[in-house]
Amino acid sequence: MQKPPFYKSLFYSIKGIFWMLKSERNFQLEVLALIVNLFLIVYFKLNTTDAAFIILVCFLVLITETLNTTIEKIC
């Protein structure tokens, strides 16, 4: 089986993110928390290292929520 072109893979991944935003309440809340964290990083003028750790943890939470939803849909 041949791999799909890169643009199709990118399209499907973006489509999946929008599906998660549209249908999963916890994902919506976690994205809201990410936005609040970004605002607070700017407001409190955190240094680069602290900001990077906060953003990294936020994205790890989003990735974990996506994996959890995937497992729930499969089961």
Side-chain angles (χ1 to χ4, degrees), residues 8-74:
K8 277 191 176 183
S9 297
L10 187 62
F11 171 75
Y12 290 137
S13 64
I14 292 171
K15 188 176 173 183
I17 291 170
F18 281 118
W19 180 82
M20 286 287 292
L21 279 170
K22 187 173 70 171
S23 63
E24 295 295 322
R25 170 76 74 194
N26 286 339
F27 194 79
Q28 294 168 355
L29 292 173
E30 290 159 1
V31 169
L32 177 64
L34 171 64
I35 293 168
V36 169
N37 281 331
L38 292 174
F39 171 75
L40 291 173
I41 287 169
V42 172
Y43 182 76
F44 289 121
K45 299 177 180 129
L46 296 180
N47 62 27
T48 308
T49 306
D50 292 341
F53 280 128
I54 291 170
I55 292 171
L56 175 68
V57 169
C58 287
F59 278 110
L60 287 174
V61 167
L62 291 174
I63 290 168
T64 306
E65 180 63 34
T66 304
L67 290 172
N68 181 38
T69 301
T70 303
I71 292 169
E72 287 175 358
K73 296 297 177 187
I74 289 172

